[in-house]
Amino acid sequence: MYLSLTHNVRLQVTYPVRVFFLLGVEILIVTNAAGGLNDSYSVGDIMLIKDHINMPGFAGQNPLCGHNEKRFGERFPCMSDAYDRELRVLARQAAEEQGCDSFLQEGVYCMLAGPTYETIAECRALQKLGADAVGMSTVPEVVVARHCGLRVLGLSLITNKVVTDYDSTERANHKEVLRTTEKRAKDLQRLVRDLVSKL
Ligand SMILES: *[C@@H]1O[C@H](CO)[C@@H](O)[C@H](O)[C@H]1NC(C)=O
């Protein structure tokens, strides 16, 4: 039951990407809210995604599983260049011009299926795997976008710091995530708008 539900949700988020492709869209900009795993990150930082870890993919949940639709792309698409280097450079320039480079980071986003937040042991494991931020979205859309050749820019807003200390009394909660999102929404919008004007 749960598996079929997540499958449908994934389909709902990846379907529009193929529609964009058919409409002639060439660039996909994705944003998400993520927990900061990297100790040097602060709440409110914006992270340019340079790479991802598709954790559901490790468990056989890849949006490209099943029959390959050739008109969208090849059977075994490359993912080592998933996040466009040139777009990241432009995003960095836009951030510098706006004076928000002081809270701009660049790192690796790890997707978990959710809907639970991570345990302390899971956070520690993800840090060891080289992830800088963790969330429950974005990767399926990016995989489908890369399959059909769209260029991708990804931005994660660090809405909370994950808990990695068993003595900590802090707990991940959705309210904090929404509060941070509200505070930074304007900055993020401005950054994307400036970036788009540079394309
Ligand atoms: C955390 O982020 C900083 C700044 O981007 C980076 O230099 C560092 O390598 C990252 N730390 C880890 C453990 O990945």
Side-chain angles (χ1 to χ4, degrees):
M1 181 68 188
Y2 177 69
L3 277 181
S4 71
L5 180 69
T6 50
H7 181 71
N8 281 336
V9 170
R10 300 285 172 254
L11 209 62
Q12 274 173 28
V13 294
T14 57
Y15 183 86
V17 174
R18 286 187 165 171
V19 175
F20 295 156
F21 167 72
L22 293 173
L23 289 171
V25 168
E26 291 171 3
I27 293 176
L28 180 72
I29 300 177
V30 287
T31 61
N32 63 41
L37 290 163
N38 185 317
D39 281 335
S40 71
Y41 288 9
S42 306
V43 169
D45 282 356
I46 293 172
M47 184 185 86
L48 286 170
I49 304 178
K50 79 169 173 202
D51 202 354
H52 72 222
I53 299 175
N54 178 10
M55 200 60 87
F58 286 22
Q61 293 246 335
N62 188 303
L64 298 178
C65 280
H67 173 72
N68 185 52
E69 288 270 353
K70 254 214 194 98
R71 65 191 161 129
F72 290 112
E74 56 188 291
R75 172 72 289 189
F76 301 109
C78 174
M79 282 294 139
S80 61
D81 56 353
Y83 298 87
D84 195 274
R85 189 185 293 265
E86 201 184 330
L87 293 177
R88 270 185 282 143
V89 170
L90 286 180
R92 197 167 278 287
Q93 280 171 7
E96 272 166 28
E97 283 165 22
Q98 278 175 37
C100 59
D101 48 325
S102 61
F103 53 87
L104 192 74
Q105 306 281 2
E106 185 162 324
V108 175
Y109 174 81
C110 179
M111 180 198 173
L112 301 186
T116 51
Y117 284 111
E118 306 72 38
T119 66
I120 290 171
E122 284 164 351
C123 289
R124 290 177 170 197
L126 296 182
Q127 285 174 330
K128 290 213 167 70
L129 288 177
D132 295 292
V134 59
M136 306 172 193
S137 67
T138 306
V139 168
E141 299 93 290
V142 172
V143 166
V144 169
R146 291 305 298 151
H147 181 236
C148 60
L150 300 193
R151 294 167 66 197
V152 173
L153 177 81
L155 297 164
S156 287
L157 175 60
I158 306 302
T159 50
N160 58 292
K161 299 252 321 180
V162 301
V163 179
T164 53
D165 177 2
Y166 282 102
D167 292 327
S168 169
T169 53
E170 276 183 53
R171 302 178 71 245
N173 71 87
H174 193 53
K175 274 210 193 86
E176 185 193 0
V177 170
L178 293 179
R179 226 177 8 243
T180 311
T181 310
E182 225 167 83
K183 264 192 233 155
R184 272 281 186 256
K186 284 266 168 355
D187 291 315
L188 205 50
Q189 281 164 13
R190 214 156 7 106
L191 185 63
V192 171
R193 201 166 47 225
D194 269 29
L195 172 74
V196 168
S197 71
K198 285 178 183 298
L199 294 174

